Amino acid sequence: AQSVTQLDSHVSVSEGTPVLLRCNYSSSYSPSLFWYVQHPNKGLQLLLKYTSAATLVKGINGFEAEFKKSETSFHLTKPSAHMSDAAEYFCVPVGADKLIFGTGTRLQVFP
Amino acid sequence: DGGITQSPKYLFRKEGQNVTLSCEQNLNHDAMYWYRQDPGQGLRLIYYSQIVNDFQKGDIAEGYSVSREKKESFPLTVTSAQKNPTAFYLCASSIDAASYNEQFFGPGTRLTVL
């Protein structure tokens, strides 16, 4: 069965510094993977999607993620955090018939 | 504007009452989904519908019911049988039910039981 682990429940960074949100998945095959973002009391918005076309995936708002099969990881990065990046982030592998949601990582950005 | 709307944004229910949450989409998507989100947790799938007049139970369907009489609408009823209904409810849709397709989410309804 597919599963996902987001290694940090909370990440705090200063504005202008890099962001790293870690995600490990378990799967018996190369999965499709999403990163979604949720701002407080809002729905989820797709940041980026991996579907095996390229291991480095660029998304919206300057985010990108690299798929590493050997490490079963799909970490999300951004070179320079902005205050508006403060939100909850979900790494979501695609299961056989549904999306697999982890518990999320809350990103705080300090001025 | 194309998208998904959910109403109401906030909903209060007394013990023993049924309430219905609305979800409408104008994206012409075949598949629609209902999720429940509790604090500090990810999303859990309640029900999904791959096509009009068809729906399937998700992981936590007990105490909930749905209908899909129109392509654009997928209302969720929280019944009195749901013992702990206070949560944030999210509706989503995708072009079809293939799980690798992006799901588009509505803004959510926060349900509180008084």
Side-chain angles (χ1 to χ4, degrees):
Chain A
Q2 289 250 33
S3 68
V4 60
T5 302
Q6 292 188 243
L7 296 156
D8 306 292
S9 59
H10 289 85
V11 170
S12 297
V13 301
S14 297
E15 191 174 22
T17 64
V19 176
L20 170 64
L21 305 182
R22 299 183 294 166
C23 170
N24 284 98
Y25 68 92
S26 67
S27 174
S28 58
Y29 55 91
S30 291
S32 293
L33 290 149
F34 298 102
W35 272 100
Y36 278 92
V37 60
Q38 183 182 30
H39 288 90
N41 295 309
K42 303 286 187 185
L44 279 68
Q45 180 185 19
L46 183 69
L47 273 179
L48 50 81
K49 174 180 177 180
Y50 169 74
T51 56
S52 77
T55 56
L56 184 62
V57 183
K58 293 188 183 299
I60 62 171
N61 301 333
F63 284 94
E64 63 182 36
E66 185 171 8
F67 177 76
K68 293 186 176 180
K69 186 176 180 179
S70 60
E71 300 175 9
T72 61
S73 70
F74 190 54
H75 301 335
L76 182 71
T77 60
K78 182 173 180 177
S80 176
H82 192 273
M83 295 296 292
S84 60
D85 294 327
E88 188 92 18
Y89 291 81
F90 294 95
C91 178
V92 185
V94 176
D97 57 356
K98 63 181 181 181
L99 302 184
I100 312 296
F101 284 88
T103 54
T105 297
R106 181 164 297 279
L107 176 65
Q108 285 186 300
V109 182
F110 293 104
Chain B
D1 272 341
I4 301 178
T5 57
Q6 291 185 241
S7 62
K9 188 173 176 66
Y10 299 95
L11 186 57
F12 298 90
R13 190 193 94 170
K14 293 182 180 178
E15 295 271 0
Q17 280 184 337
N18 292 355
V19 290
T20 298
L21 283 59
S22 169
C23 177
E24 303 277 332
Q25 55 99 358
N26 61 4
L27 299 168
N28 200 33
H29 285 173
D30 281 329
M32 297 187 74
Y33 310 82
W34 274 106
Y35 294 92
R36 170 181 173 140
Q37 186 177 28
D38 293 283
Q41 298 191 31
L43 278 63
R44 292 184 288 168
L45 183 63
I46 304 172
Y47 268 98
Y48 64 100
S49 169
Q50 296 178 318
I51 201 164
V52 176
N53 293 321
D54 180 67
F55 49 83
Q56 311 292 332
K57 291 183 179 180
D59 299 319
I60 56 164
E62 186 174 351
Y64 300 97
S65 66
V66 294
S67 62
R68 186 86 188 277
E69 297 177 1
K70 297 186 296 182
K71 186 175 186 177
E72 59 269 23
S73 179
F74 191 41
L76 173 74
T77 296
V78 184
T79 75
S80 56
Q82 171 50 238
K83 297 307 178 189
N84 185 23
T86 294
F88 191 50
Y89 290 86
L90 288 159
C91 179
S93 71
S94 61
I95 190 165
D96 61 38
S99 55
Y100 52 77
N101 286 321
E102 174 186 358
Q103 291 186 16
F104 294 79
F105 285 81
T109 292
R110 187 166 297 281
L111 173 64
T112 302
V113 173
L114 302 173

